[in-house]
Amino acid sequence: MSELEGPLKDIFDVVIHRNPGEPEFQQAVHEVFETLTPVMAKHPEYEDVLTRMCEPERQIIFRVPWIDDDGKVQINRGFRVEFNSALGPYKGGLRFHPSVNLSIVKFLGFEQIFKNSLTGLPIGGGKGGSDFDPKGRSDREVMRFCQSFMTELYRHIGDKTDVPAGDIGVGGREIGYLFGQYKRITNRYESGVLTGKGLTWGGSQVRPEATGYGAVFFVDEMLKAKGQGFDGKKVLVSGSGNVATYAIEKIHQLGGTVIGCSDSSGYVIDEKGIDLELLKEVKQVRRARLSEYVELRGNGTKVGTDGTLWQVPADIALPCATQNELDEDDAKALVANGCQIVGEGANMPTTPEAIKVLQAAGIGFAPGKAANAGGVATSALEMQQNASRDSWSFEYTEERLSDIMRSIHETCVETADEYNDPNNYIAGANIAGFVHVAEAMLALGVI
Ligand code: GLU
């Protein structure tokens, strides 16, 4: 990590002191601070605001007891970090994964403040989750876990207070069980308390597709700025969950070919283009490993054995799996193989060292705060529909999403230019996201 100077260094030292043993949170804060030097020089009044912004408004940690199918009592830890509500109710997903701890939830919540601000919609930032591992658990176990989790969480959330959604390990099934328990405890059909709901009970068209589609729309804007498009491009998409699946779908619709994807067991290379229907069958219906995709596909498809997915030559790379999945060696391989653009579909998937390599080589780099904001933006559209008891068509909602992504791209470019750092999408996203929240916080007084 590069050295910070002046007030940014002083504020960062306080963050380190207050949040020991939280490497992911410290990394996320540092990545933002690195780009704020010119803003602080222009606006010394933002110093106090930034200090407050790094301290969550509220952090909730709770016990989640539940009984597994063998009748054994299981205990997990639940989290909800309500980070910043200057622009609107706390908004951000829930992640169920064994790696979840306070550092992970805080890094995600911190990123969410800036991402949500960039959408231009009235949503604050928050995040939550649990170290519960849904993998290998029966539907009944997942339901019992979700019900127990909500039995504590319900008292902290509400359509005007805090609105959770999905993230890794939390999809339509989990949101259903969580919403059912919330409805039961509160005796209210409060649709806007959760987003990512099913289409027949208050969900929005395009919400499942939104993060992946949005990331592709953003990269498409980057390509258009160079007078190009996805047509004929070879693309690597890591992951095979919700974000990756719909990123692949949109890339194929736009004429690109996704030649590789991955899961926690490894990666596959399919030079003819990933067969999306088969991928959905293997990952969403069977909840199986990618090796099953290879067996069923035939067609010269192979399981990758050399290094990582990022060592495979391609024009564009979209890390859509998880944090810190693309490291310095991967970045060097992408550069050596002539990759032109890296767009983050996941949250903070590229390590700081890898970002330096990519930027030094002049590769277009879209940070997650901007590139993956389509998911939460469409959640905000779901909240709008719930508030007006309305439901919009797929076409209309997709149009709104693509307008939002175009506008985020424009904001990033304009802000980077304004601060004399052209083509630096990280600086553009961080500065624009920060200034919007900082102005609101100043207006609301010291609270
Ligand atoms: N978990 C998603 C994200 O990282 C979506 C959050 C939401 O829809 O509230 O932005």
Side-chain angles (χ1 to χ4, degrees), residues 281-337:
E281 165 71 24
V282 170
K283 299 307 295 186
Q284 293 175 11
V285 182
R286 304 186 184 198
R287 296 183 191 268
R289 289 178 169 214
L290 274 177
S291 48
E292 219 164 295
Y293 173 93
V294 174
E295 275 162 35
L296 293 166
R297 174 83 159 144
N299 204 21
T301 309
K302 52 185 193 296
V303 175
T305 44
D306 269 2
T308 65
L309 175 70
W310 311 119
Q311 323 276 323
V312 179
D315 305 305
I316 296 169
L318 298 187
C320 296
T322 195
Q323 66 272 2
N324 292 327
E325 57 162 306
L326 194 162
D327 66 15
E328 191 173 3
D329 287 339
D330 297 325
K332 285 181 180 157
L334 289 170
V335 171
N337 288 331

Side-chain angles (χ1 to χ4, degrees), residues 50-279:
L50 185 60
T51 312
R52 273 193 284 148
M53 221 183 265
C54 294
E55 185 63 17
E57 289 175 21
R58 194 174 294 107
Q59 307 183 52
I60 303 148
I61 303 182
F62 52 96
R63 180 171 72 195
V64 189
W66 57 284
I67 296 175
D68 69 18
D69 283 349
D70 298 328
K72 234 179 111 222
V73 174
Q74 298 280 344
I75 301 293
N76 285 99
R77 186 173 283 183
F79 301 88
R80 187 71 183 167
V81 174
E82 298 180 332
F83 228 116
N84 194 298
S85 60
L87 298 179
Y90 309 106
K91 182 82 197 87
L94 297 170
R95 177 176 291 190
F96 291 169
H97 190 269
S99 65
V100 167
N101 56 33
L102 190 57
S103 173
I104 302 269
V105 177
K106 279 164 71 179
F107 116 63
L108 291 163
F110 188 73
E111 295 247 304
Q112 203 84 43
I113 304 171
F114 304 92
K115 185 197 305 197
N116 295 5
S117 158
L118 276 175
T119 66
L121 298 163
I123 40 178
K127 203 86 187 192
S130 175
D131 56 4
F132 171 72
D133 188 358
K135 220 178 262 165
R137 290 292 178 190
S138 69
D139 266 3
R140 283 190 310 271
E141 289 179 314
V142 171
M143 180 175 76
R144 284 197 294 271
F145 173 80
C146 289
Q147 290 176 337
S148 180
F149 186 86
M150 186 53 89
T151 301
E152 173 59 32
L153 187 69
Y154 89 94
R155 70 191 80 241
H156 307 289
I157 62 176
D159 62 357
K160 294 183 177 63
T161 312
D162 184 356
V163 183
D167 195 85
I168 294 171
V170 178
R173 173 181 64 166
E174 290 74 16
I175 294 293
Y177 295 147
L178 291 164
F179 183 70
Q181 184 72 350
Y182 182 84
K183 185 175 84 59
R184 180 190 195 192
I185 296 175
T186 60
N187 194 30
R188 278 199 302 270
Y189 207 106
E190 188 186 336
S191 303
V193 69
L194 288 170
T195 59
K197 299 181 292 296
L199 284 179
T200 53
W201 42 279
S204 173
Q205 295 281 359
V206 193
R207 180 61 192 90
E209 295 86 353
T211 312
Y213 276 22
V216 175
F217 289 147
F218 192 93
V219 170
D220 196 38
E221 289 300 314
M222 295 169 81
L223 286 164
K224 280 187 198 149
K226 302 175 181 214
Q228 300 177 27
F230 267 99
D231 209 17
K233 295 272 194 285
K234 281 189 173 185
V235 189
L236 301 170
V237 175
S238 65
S240 47
N242 170 269
V243 182
T245 301
Y246 293 106
I248 296 171
E249 185 165 284
K250 187 51 73 180
I251 291 164
H252 286 173
Q253 284 172 14
L254 295 180
T257 305
V258 176
I259 56 163
C261 67
S262 61
D263 67 8
S264 57
S265 71
Y267 69 94
V268 295
I269 295 301
D270 189 344
E271 289 288 345
K272 296 199 173 63
I274 296 287
D275 178 338
L276 197 62
E277 286 318 306
L278 182 59
L279 185 69

